[in-house]
Amino acid sequence: MTEPADPLVVFTPSGKRGRMPAGTPVLEAARRLGVDLDSVCGGRGICSRCQVAPAFGAFAKHGITSAETSLSGWNAVEARYAEKRGLAPGRRLGCQARILGDVVIDVPPESQLHRQVIRKEADARPVEMDPAIRLRLVEVAPPDMRAPTGDLERLTEALRAQWAIEGVTADLPLLAKLQETLRAGDWTVTAAIHQPRDEAPPRLVALWPGLLEGDLCGLAIDLGSTTIAGHLVSLRSGEVLASAGVMNPQIRFGEDLMSRVSYAMMNPGGAAEMTGAVRAALNRLAQEIAASAGVALDRILDLTLVGNPVMHHILLGLDPVELGQAPFALATASARDLPARELGLTALPPGAQAYLLPLIAGHVGADAAAVVLAETPEQSEDLVLIVDVGTNAEILLGNRTRVLACSSPTGPAFEGAQISSGQRAAPGAIEAIRIDPETKEPRFRVIGCDLWSGDPGFAEATAGAGVTGLCGSGIIEAVAEMRLAGLIDAGGLIGSAAQTGTARMIPEGRTHAYLIHDGSASGGPVISVTQADIRAIQLAKAALYAGARLLMDEMAVDKVDRVVLAGAFGAHISPLHALVLGMIPDAPVARVTSAGNAAGTGARIALCSRAARRRIEAEVRRITKVETALEPRFQEHFVAASAIPHATAPFARLRGVAPLPEPAFNSEGGRRRRR
């Protein structure tokens, strides 16, 4: 009789998984699998740093069903801790909860020893200020028994007479404090007026007694499938006062968008669960960013949000299921103005407003619209390809004549997921690597240290965080460098030690892996690139290239003038390595540039400018959408793009600056040839 398999535990957001004997504490399982879970009390339930959030339901992405019975029940230690210090709903202490069955466990940011680096900084480009919310100081006539009228009516009359603002309305929460505020200011008050469009009726959204010192602020939010980034912006100057980011907690429901749609389909109430998770994260982000800038939350009265269609629909509480199947119908594609409270943003004052940029198509969202707003391809004289690299890549191609858009499902490999030594961007992660083409020896740089391995002082500088794994830019550079050094052939096959002339090639069954770093002597990880890692990167980059090539077909061109890599991840990709890998069509290396977090920049522009909102709403209607799922040539382009850099495209511009060796390996380690 076959013995039942040990329970399978999957940790998010790292994606690390493994089978553990029943009864293993979650903290012990995390340590065995190399999961970043903090603890300083030795598992006695005192420090609370090992808090985890188990997720329950059917997880098609991971191939398991996680039930509440998959963990042991609360014990006396957890009960005592919850009574004395409090434990958030849904949280468990990793040192106390024991694994009894297949389970998915999320490690929240505050429980991670090496915190995620959210690489979505603001681009401080100038914006012509025309915010939707403005401050107005008004003097209101006191009440008069001979001319009885309401306080609100006298306030609106003062706004009309002193500022030519007609027809101001106010919601009930503000009315409840109106009389107190007017009297506290001795009938002089500062009013915050919201008017998103010239034709829209103005609304009174906040009121302070007397003259309000300081600025009003707004939040520009880039709601990504992996990370959420926010920028706190002065609505007077447009200055970015603070930026912050958090992991998107929805990642525990699936790393990619279709996994989350699947979760909503397979679990009753699953969509609402994901809505609650992301709204809670936005509230925490608002509180953290306000605290870091020393800004009172009641000064944050406007908000712009961008995200892909699935994130957009889940945030709004709309069912995302239709986005998981053809024809990928959106519930709504239009821009929306609504009170922030309707999005569950209770951390902001009751009068706070939100603006969601329009969506372009079923898989091309408001984040792509924000990239258009930031990069203005419709104003470009030359043909520009803009690639927002992420779990779901969004691609734009255009110039003054025409702008095209599509999306391509690249998956999470570019962010270090599904990679044997992969991890999110955090201190200790390898972010850059170079391989000597003669000796085949690597040197690398990790996040949090400017030195390269081998430099004097590197070991001391990295002693705290250590060398922990490969983040997205690290795995891209590693694969590209292996191609440049002749360690893999054009088909992506890794050579043996005999074929490549280096003992760093480690046999793995019938394939090989390239050893980058062996930290086992000091209890650290062994970091390598395996054949499975190469295949995962090939699949991701082929999907990206194929999407771009489809747009070029539609435009009837064989080359582009320049390429812009957008997104937080795109900002850290080396143009040369992106070309060697074949992620993007061949272009002059000097004309492949980074736009940083262009979606966040576009959100900030929309926050500061009503004219920009009108402009992007009009431009989105003119963009031609190309649906990759319906294009018969996508598969053809995908297969050809699986080679490194490409099976048929010559990549002449690349080869002019970086000649590529041409080994040919086979899985038995037979022959090797060079041209």
Side-chain angles (χ1 to χ4, degrees), residues 470-560:
L470 288 162
C471 68
S473 61
I475 186 63
I476 284 177
E477 292 200 4
V479 176
E481 284 286 318
M482 290 173 71
R483 180 71 175 88
L484 287 167
L487 300 176
I488 59 175
D489 61 19
L493 193 64
I494 302 177
S496 66
Q499 291 170 320
T500 60
T502 174
R504 285 189 172 272
M505 292 307 182
I506 308 168
E508 286 199 345
R510 296 182 63 185
T511 64
H512 299 86
Y514 176 69
L515 177 65
I516 294 175
H517 173 74
D518 186 352
S520 58
S522 57
V526 175
I527 300 171
S528 63
V529 178
T530 68
Q531 190 64 68
D533 297 338
I534 301 284
R535 296 302 183 220
I537 291 297
Q538 285 178 283
L539 291 173
K541 75 97 177 180
L544 187 63
Y545 181 97
R549 185 65 237 190
L550 278 181
L551 296 188
M552 293 167 67
D553 290 349
E554 178 70 20
M555 193 74 84
V557 298
D558 289 320
K559 63 181 182 180
V560 299

Side-chain angles (χ1 to χ4, degrees), residues 398-418:
N399 54 21
R400 286 185 176 274
T401 305
R402 192 181 182 201
V403 177
L404 312 177
C406 76
S407 70
S408 198
T410 54
F414 282 155
E415 296 177 337
Q418 300 178 348

Side-chain angles (χ1 to χ4, degrees), residues 52-64:
V52 294
F56 304 118
F59 294 87
K61 173 74 176 179
H62 307 302
I64 64 174

